[in-house]
Amino acid sequence: MRAIILNSDSIKPIYIQIAEWLEAEILKGNLTEDERIYSQYQLAEIFTINPATAAKGLNLLADEEIVYKKRGLGMFVSPHAKSYILQKRKNQILGQMIRDLVDEAVRLGVGKTELLEMIELAYQEADDRDREAGGEEEEKQ
């Protein structure tokens, strides 16, 4: 297992960083539906933190029903966890970024049509990069 580092200088509490790391593991497919996840003691050892902090991160995920408890067996990834995390991140992270973008556009006097054109161009550039990256992958094989 590669070294995993939490940012103790972050304003984001460690237990939230733990929960977000577990969410990322679910999104990457490293933890799958109905699979047992790390215990609070395993997480405490991995991250060199207090088990109570790890438990708080796990309980946060349980409260959101991303994981569920099986008495005496531990916690497991909920069947809907991946789709829930994706939707949550779209609503929270992208939603905030869009609000910030629109606020900045208004401050700069950029109209809706111009902003949408800029977004379309950015999407096109991203598609071009994806196609180029795909071509590079084919060349490597």
Side-chain angles (χ1 to χ4, degrees):
M1 175 182 279
R2 63 185 168 84
I4 302 160
I5 300 170
L6 298 175
N7 184 354
S8 59
D9 295 329
S10 174
I11 60 169
K12 190 179 291 185
I14 296 293
Y15 75 94
I16 291 177
Q17 292 181 53
I18 295 287
E20 288 177 349
W21 177 77
L22 287 166
E23 286 180 351
E25 291 296 293
I26 292 167
L27 289 177
K28 288 187 251 180
N30 294 337
L31 295 171
T32 58
E33 179 178 311
D34 294 318
E35 182 178 350
R36 186 175 184 274
I37 64 168
Y38 302 99
S39 72
Q40 70 187 64
Y41 300 105
Q42 289 171 317
L43 289 169
E45 186 176 323
I46 291 168
F47 292 105
T48 317
I49 59 171
N50 187 308
T53 302
K56 197 168 179 181
L58 288 169
N59 287 330
L60 184 64
L61 296 178
D63 291 345
E64 294 184 50
E65 298 180 357
I66 292 171
V67 299
Y68 62 93
K69 297 176 185 180
K70 281 189 182 179
R71 189 176 182 144
L73 297 176
M75 290 194 174
F76 295 78
V77 178
S78 296
H80 65 277
K82 191 170 187 173
S83 61
Y84 176 83
I85 295 166
L86 286 170
Q87 192 61 45
K88 178 177 88 164
R89 289 187 176 193
K90 280 181 194 177
N91 291 340
Q92 290 177 355
I93 297 169
L94 285 181
Q96 186 58 53
M97 291 172 79
I98 290 168
R99 287 186 292 279
D100 292 345
L101 176 65
V102 170
D103 288 346
E104 185 65 16
V106 168
R107 279 191 292 276
L108 297 173
V110 174
K112 181 179 176 182
T113 302
E114 184 180 358
L115 182 59
L116 290 173
E117 287 171 359
M118 293 170 78
I119 291 170
E120 284 292 331
L121 179 61
Y123 259 105
Q124 183 60 50
E125 290 169 351
D127 286 345
D128 292 346
R129 284 190 304 273
D130 285 348
R131 276 196 292 284
E132 288 173 11
E136 291 171 11
E137 286 297 318
E138 290 174 9
E139 289 175 15
K140 290 178 184 176
Q141 295 176 3

